[in-house]
Amino acid sequence: MSRGIIALCILILLVPVALADRDSYLAAREKLAEADYDRLAADERDRLFEALGRYDKPEVIRTYAETASAFGVYLDGLEYTQGSLQERMRPFADRTALNPQEIAVRNNLTKKIQKAEADWRLGNKSVALLVTVLGSYKDPKTVNNAISMLPGHATWRVRQLYADAAPLWHKMLADTTLSKRIFGSLKKLTRDKEPRVRVAVARGLVAFKRMEAIQLLEASIKDPDWSVRSAAVKSLAATSSSEAVGALIRAMQKEKGRLAGDINNALKELTGRNMEFADMW
């Protein structure tokens, strides 16, 4: 059998699959455009998110961004609800003697808090799924579209998802040009106004085996937000490089408290030496 006939047979087999993926994507896009996340069951929500991952074409990125943005609003609402409920529960925290009406109010608040926390846990699972979906795209045109659209998105949660997913493309796609674009976009996001985006960037930079990534992580140790500095320390330790050792020693001379301990542990992991004080390194 000639190669041409074999190729034709493969094409005939693949076309129905491609059409099914497109139909699945279009149906999911329509449902997601009208989704009320307060009412949509978590398993159905995740099924719709997964449908986006089966359609690897540039136009899926716009739908992805719109979906992630809308879901971000839902997550913001969950955060606000939890905070509000905890505040309403505060008057009952230190009291042991409650009248029947107060007990009923406290029990009702407890149930609402438990539901909000359960919804939040399911929401975080969906966030992890959205990272996996975004990182699963392999078509260079799709990835290029993501690099163009997502790092500058108005919703910080979309930028965070991008920062978490981008290193997956770097590892998966053997494309030097794309890798440079991905790294450049993450470099810009090190200055993002939202700390949680900068944390995601610090986590992701470890995937890039280049000196500039070490330099960016060292700069992130000076970030005003503690969580960013902590993520940068962990990423530097994960690089297992001599340059990281120097960066961590310089950082330890300026840090105090828990983060100084984290830096010391990272240095111990990298060098096998245990020095309790900065001036001992």
Side-chain angles (χ1 to χ4, degrees), residues 171-215:
K171 294 177 181 178
M172 180 174 56
L173 302 174
D175 189 316
T176 304
T177 302
L178 270 180
S179 183
K180 287 181 178 178
R181 287 200 69 199
I182 293 166
F183 185 80
S185 65
L186 291 178
K187 182 178 179 179
K188 290 180 181 178
L189 287 176
T190 59
R191 301 186 296 273
D192 196 275
K193 61 184 178 181
E194 171 55 51
R196 283 172 283 192
V197 175
R198 302 198 301 274
V199 167
V201 174
R203 289 196 301 257
L205 283 172
V206 71
F208 296 85
K209 308 298 183 183
R210 58 176 73 178
M211 187 59 198
E212 191 176 3
I214 301 290
Q215 293 168 344

Side-chain angles (χ1 to χ4, degrees), residues 97-237:
L98 301 174
N99 63 45
Q101 184 177 0
E102 289 173 328
I103 292 173
V105 171
R106 184 195 61 188
N107 291 345
N108 186 43
L109 283 172
T110 299
K111 289 179 181 179
K112 289 182 177 180
I113 289 172
Q114 290 171 344
K115 182 181 184 305
E117 289 175 345
D119 288 343
W120 176 247
R121 287 193 295 271
L122 289 172
N124 278 334
K125 287 180 65 177
S126 295
V127 168
L129 174 60
L130 282 171
V131 172
T132 301
V133 165
L134 186 58
S136 69
Y137 296 130
K138 298 179 182 178
D139 186 332
K141 292 182 179 179
T142 305
V143 175
N144 265 311
N145 204 26
I147 297 170
S148 297
M149 289 183 60
L150 302 185
H153 198 276
T155 303
W156 71 264
R157 290 188 187 274
V158 176
R159 303 194 302 273
Q160 182 190 41
L161 287 168
Y162 172 84
D164 276 325
L168 300 177
W169 296 321
H170 170 70
K171 294 177 181 178
M172 180 174 56
L173 302 174
D175 189 316
T176 304
T177 302
L178 270 180
S179 183
K180 287 181 178 178
R181 287 200 69 199
I182 293 166
F183 185 80
S185 65
L186 291 178
K187 182 178 179 179
K188 290 180 181 178
L189 287 176
T190 59
R191 301 186 296 273
D192 196 275
K193 61 184 178 181
E194 171 55 51
R196 283 172 283 192
V197 175
R198 302 198 301 274
V199 167
V201 174
R203 289 196 301 257
L205 283 172
V206 71
F208 296 85
K209 308 298 183 183
R210 58 176 73 178
M211 187 59 198
E212 191 176 3
I214 301 290
Q215 293 168 344
L216 289 172
L217 286 170
E218 183 173 6
S220 293
I221 297 182
K222 303 171 187 174
D223 194 280
D225 188 273
W226 184 90
S227 60
V228 180
R229 300 200 301 275
S230 178
V233 168
K234 292 176 182 177
S235 288
L236 279 169

Side-chain angles (χ1 to χ4, degrees), residues 9 15 27 31 34 39 104 123 146 155 162 176 197 200 223 242 259 276:
C9 292
V15 165
K31 289 185 179 181
E34 302 173 352
R39 298 176 180 272
T155 303
Y162 172 84
T176 304
V197 175
D223 194 280
S242 58
L259 194 58
E276 294 185 15

